[in-house]
Structures are given as structure tokens and as C-alpha cells.
Amino acid sequence: MRTDIFARLDREPEPPKIEIPRMSRTRKALFGGTLAFYLAIVVAVLVSSTLVILDWKVMLFRPYQQWPELHPFLDYFVVLGQRGPTAVMIAAWLGWRSWRQHTLRPLLALGTALLLLNVTVGAVKLGLGRLGPHYATQIGSAELFAGGDIFPSGHTANAVVTWGILAYLATTPQARRYLSVMSAVVALGVGATTVYLGTHWLSDVLLGWAAGLLILLGLPLFEPLIGRAELAVFAVRERWRARRRTTPSTPVASGGPRPAPVPQEASALGDEPPCEPIGAGHGGHAGVGRTTGTVAGTGQLTQPRPHAVRSERTPVTPAGSRRPGRSRPMTGG
């Protein structure tokens, strides 16, 4: 057994037994508390409460002007919340895990989480239509139903889901703890960065955190659907493999015999293979051999006859040849 670090790159011989998260009492309590927090943020923004005033105070403080030296670094750090780059990175990692563990569950779980994120967050964004801080028109207003699409923060919710799915799919408790801390730090940092850059209100970030956490907490409800989808994909793959194994390499008529192989000599001549030339004593002409010789009684040289195929031979009957024999050359007067 290999003990070095590269042994982890080998494919496991059998699919491991992965414990699928369930909707336990703790998870249900966290889901209910997060949902209540989500609704409270939405109501507070709708009624233009103290939260909206806090949004304006933070925006007018302009953090990007207070600490300009952080701007270059945070411009790159906020990319960890963009859906395109993060989805590609996480999908590559989970794709390798799927190949190594003989299962499609990691990729299907990521696809389900991203689909829920697009549907839920996108619907609220378009429904409330809130404008961002850079496009605000009236101080103290919630800027709702004005054609915007920043409430909740998509960067923040995407950071919670894409990095949190690693902790959700962890196979050991220790890995789950480490990945949970890492994903929480990244999600909090991305949300705070959007407030620093002035692209989101503080309430946008709070609602984005809640939206992403709701998706992760409610993902076990979709595990039966993920399992059925995985079985369906594997069934299609097995049918395709079986069809490839049963397909013959050369088409043969139903019930008919397979064609016999043809020798190369016969296929080149388009006829049967050439036979030996007719020699003396086998119904041929007397005095003709396979090589240059003399005609009996004359001493004249004759040229060798080329090999003849069966179709060029003179038909021979028991009584002799049908053609008149060649007369010997006459010598003397």
C-alpha cells in the first residue's frame, strides 16, 4: 500500500460509504431561526426602519476613502464571491472527488445548491428592485422598487453557498469543522468587502448571508432527488456500455453466414490462385519444361512459358485435348 501523499490521487477501488446529512433537530432549529432573521431584514427594509438609517450612515462614511490602502487587495479578494470563477473552481474540485469516489453526488449537490441560489435570490432581487448606494436618489430612502437588483447581495450569498458546500460534503468531522471555519471567514470577508467598496448596503449583506445559509441548511431536503438523479445517470451509462459491447464490428445479415477470408493472391488477381504450369506427362505438350530447353529432335531453343491460371488452360478430356496438337517442325528436304 502506498503511504506517500500521492496515494490520495489514486482512484478508490470501491465507492466509500458517505454519510448523507439529514434534517436533524439542530438543523431544523437553525433553519427556522435563519428564516426568521431573513424575514425580519426584509420587513425592516420595507418599513424604512432604523436599519435603513444605518445603511445610509455606513454609505456616507465611505470606508473606501477612510482606508484607501486596502482598496487594491480587496478588489481581488471580492472575486471569491463572484459566481463564475468560484463555481468553476469548486466544480473542478468536486469533479475530481466524484471520479475518485465513483459517485456523482458532489457535482449534483453543487448543481442543486446553485440552482436554488439563482431562483431564490434572483426572484427577491427582481421583486424588490432596490438601487445600490452609488445610484441612490434620496437620502433616508430604502430605494425599493426602482429597477435595481442588489437586495440581497448576490456576492455574499454565492460565497456562503459555493464555499459552504465543501463543508457540507466533507466526509470526516475534522474536515467538516475546518472547512466550515474557512467558508465562514470567506463569506464574512466578501460581504464586508462589498460594503467597503460601496457596491452594497449593509442590509444587502445581512440578507445575503441569511439567503446562502438557508440554502445550505435546507439542502438535505433535496438529497432523495439527488440520489434518484444519480441512479438515472448511471443507468443510462450502463445501457450505453451494453449497446457498445453487443454491436458487431462488421455488419452481417441477420441469420446469414459470415464471409470467409479471401487470400491476398486471389484478391489481387481477381480469380483463383495460380496453379502449376502444365508439364510433360500431365496432358501437356511434350518436350516443354519449366525452364528454357530444346525441342526434341531439332536442337532449337525455346522460351519458357509463363504460368497459366486455370481459366487459360486448354480443356482436357479423357480422350485428349480438343485442340489439334502442335506439329513438330520439319527438318531436311
Side-chain angles (χ1 to χ4, degrees):
M1 177 181 293
R2 297 178 61 183
T3 57
D4 56 351
I5 190 173
F6 295 102
R8 294 285 298 171
L9 299 178
D10 295 337
R11 194 177 189 189
E12 296 182 3
E14 295 181 359
K17 295 181 179 180
I18 301 176
E19 183 180 357
I20 299 176
R22 299 179 180 180
M23 289 298 292
S24 60
R25 291 183 177 180
T26 304
R27 186 176 289 269
K28 290 179 180 179
L30 291 175
F31 184 86
T34 306
L35 181 60
F37 178 77
Y38 184 95
L39 296 176
I41 296 295
V42 174
V43 172
V45 173
L46 286 174
V47 300
S48 299
S49 63
T50 308
L51 182 58
V52 177
I53 298 175
L54 181 61
D55 286 339
W56 277 97
K57 288 183 177 181
V58 173
M59 191 273 286
L60 294 175
F61 181 70
R62 290 181 174 85
Y64 58 88
Q65 292 182 356
Q66 304 297 327
W67 303 284
E69 64 276 3
L70 299 177
H71 204 292
F73 168 74
L74 294 180
D75 271 339
Y76 290 101
F77 179 78
V78 78
V79 177
L80 296 178
Q82 289 185 0
R83 193 164 307 165
T86 55
V88 171
M89 290 188 294
I90 300 302
W93 169 258
L94 295 181
W96 175 78
R97 277 192 55 187
S98 296
W99 172 82
R100 185 174 179 270
Q101 298 176 349
H102 307 266
T103 177
L104 292 177
R105 179 174 169 265
L107 285 176
L108 292 176
L110 175 64
T112 303
L114 292 179
L115 179 61
L116 292 173
L117 177 67
N118 291 332
V119 172
T120 56
V121 174
V124 178
K125 278 176 174 286
L126 298 178
L128 297 178
R130 192 181 191 186
L131 293 175
H134 293 309
Y135 303 97
T137 57
Q138 184 179 357
I139 297 179
S141 172
E143 303 294 336
L144 294 173
F145 310 109
D149 57 351
I150 65 159
F151 184 68
S153 171
H155 272 68
T156 305
N158 183 72
V160 174
V161 171
T162 52
W163 298 105
I165 197 71
L166 298 178
Y168 177 83
L169 295 172
T171 55
T172 60
Q174 183 179 8
R176 186 174 294 110
R177 286 193 297 268
Y178 289 155
L179 292 173
S180 298
V181 173
M182 183 202 71
S183 60
V185 170
V186 173
L188 292 173
V190 169
T193 301
T194 59
V195 176
Y196 167 86
L197 296 175
T199 57
H200 279 286
W201 306 98
L202 179 60
S203 56
D204 298 343
V205 174
L206 295 177
L207 195 66
W209 284 331
L213 190 57
L214 281 176
I215 293 173
L216 290 179
L217 291 174
L219 199 57
L221 297 175
F222 298 88
E223 285 291 346
L225 180 61
I226 293 174
R228 288 194 294 268
E230 182 182 15
L231 293 178
V233 172
F234 282 152
V236 172
R237 185 192 66 176
E238 292 302 325
R239 287 197 299 267
W240 180 71
R241 287 182 175 179
R243 188 179 305 155
R244 288 190 61 186
R245 286 193 297 264
T246 57
T247 302
S249 57
T250 55
V252 179
S254 178
R258 293 182 177 272
V262 181
Q264 295 182 357
E265 296 83 1
S267 61
L269 295 175
D271 207 333
E272 298 180 3
C275 302
E276 294 293 332
I278 302 175
H282 291 79
H285 302 287
V288 180
R290 296 186 182 180
T291 60
T292 305
T294 59
V295 178
T298 63
Q300 300 179 359
L301 295 175
T302 59
Q303 298 296 329
R305 295 184 60 191
H307 293 279
V309 295
R310 184 175 299 175
S311 59
E312 298 176 355
R313 296 179 186 175
T314 304
V316 178
T317 61
S321 175
R322 296 179 183 177
R323 298 180 181 177
R326 181 183 298 176
S327 61
R328 292 187 179 183
M330 298 181 62
T331 59

